[in-house]
């Protein structure tokens, strides 16, 4: 399936790019969330006319996310959880739990989908987590998991 992107998407392309994606990803995510249009002549002309407006909107969004990223970058968050004798937790710490902790401690809203977990948070220890706000803006936080 070929689509025209309406915003910059990590590992895919920039505004106005024609990209080939799997049909399910195109239909269920890109088209549904308004991040792309189906590739055809009319849509290509529409995007080329609106490209300046889309770029301006993208820059405003990027600047907003830069401010948020500066607030939480390099911050540390502590989670106290019950664990087994060997240090394994009884449950995982999930992105939703991390985003609610950031909201309560820093009063900054981070979507769970923006949190990138490279590994499961299922043991006591310190983890570094990436948060992708925008294709060009990201932050890193530290998560410390302790026993109760």
């Amino acid at each position: 399936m070929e689509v025209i992107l309406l915003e910059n998407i990590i590992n895919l392309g920039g505004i106005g790019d024609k990209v080939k994606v799997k049909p399910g990803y195109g239909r269920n995510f890109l088209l549904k969330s308004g991040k792309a249009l189906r590739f055809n002549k009319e849509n290509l002309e529409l995007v080329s006319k609106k490209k300046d407006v889309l770029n301006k909107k993208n820059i405003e969004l990027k600047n907003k996310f830069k401010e948020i990223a500066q607030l939480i970058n390099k911050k540390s968050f502590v989670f106290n959880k019950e664990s087994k004798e060997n240090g394994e937790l009884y449950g995982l710490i999930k992105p939703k739990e991390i985003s609610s902790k950031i909201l309560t401690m820093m009063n900054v809203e981070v979507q769970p989908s923006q949190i990138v977990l490279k590994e499961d948070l299922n043991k006591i220890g310190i983890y570094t987590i990436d948060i992708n706000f925008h294709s060009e803006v990201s932050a890193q936080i530290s998560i410390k998991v302790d026993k109760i």
Side-chain angles (χ1 to χ4, degrees):
M1 168 182 234
E2 292 183 332
V3 295
I4 306 166
L5 298 177
L6 297 177
E7 60 183 64
N8 295 334
I9 298 177
I10 299 171
N11 299 330
L12 197 56
I15 295 173
D17 289 352
K18 173 187 161 191
V19 294
K20 194 169 186 142
V21 295
K22 291 186 178 181
Y25 180 64
R27 271 192 318 273
N28 299 329
F29 178 68
L30 295 175
L31 296 176
K32 202 177 246 185
S33 61
K35 295 179 184 286
L37 293 173
R38 288 186 185 273
F39 179 77
N40 60 35
K41 203 174 197 177
E42 296 83 29
N43 286 342
L44 187 61
E45 290 172 11
L46 178 75
V47 170
S48 62
K49 288 178 186 174
K50 285 185 156 185
K51 199 165 189 176
D52 292 335
V53 174
L54 292 171
N55 280 327
K56 185 178 177 187
K57 181 180 155 190
N58 183 47
I59 290 170
E60 289 172 3
L61 195 61
K62 186 169 101 177
N63 290 335
K64 177 186 146 199
F65 283 135
K66 271 186 182 177
E67 291 174 18
I68 294 171
Q70 286 175 348
L71 285 174
I72 68 167
N73 197 30
K74 306 283 187 222
K75 297 290 188 232
S76 190
F77 300 92
V78 178
F79 287 84
N80 293 313
K81 294 285 189 179
E82 284 190 38
S83 65
K84 300 176 187 172
E85 290 294 319
N86 63 1
E88 287 183 14
L89 302 180
Y90 287 109
L92 296 175
I93 296 176
K94 298 193 173 162
K96 189 172 184 178
E97 196 174 347
I98 295 170
S99 70
S100 65
K101 183 80 151 190
I102 293 171
L103 183 62
T104 56
M105 288 185 66
M106 303 288 298
N107 203 22
V108 174
E109 191 169 332
V110 175
Q111 299 299 320
S113 60
Q114 295 171 327
I115 297 171
V116 180
L117 296 178
K118 296 175 190 146
E119 58 185 312
D120 287 339
L121 305 182
N122 61 354
K123 292 183 181 175
I124 290 175
I126 298 173
Y127 300 90
T128 303
I129 307 291
D130 291 328
I131 301 174
N132 290 328
F133 291 106
H134 185 271
S135 63
E136 300 169 27
V137 180
S138 64
Q140 269 191 346
I141 62 170
S142 178
I143 301 284
K144 182 178 182 186
V145 182
D146 275 338
K147 282 185 181 180
I148 289 183

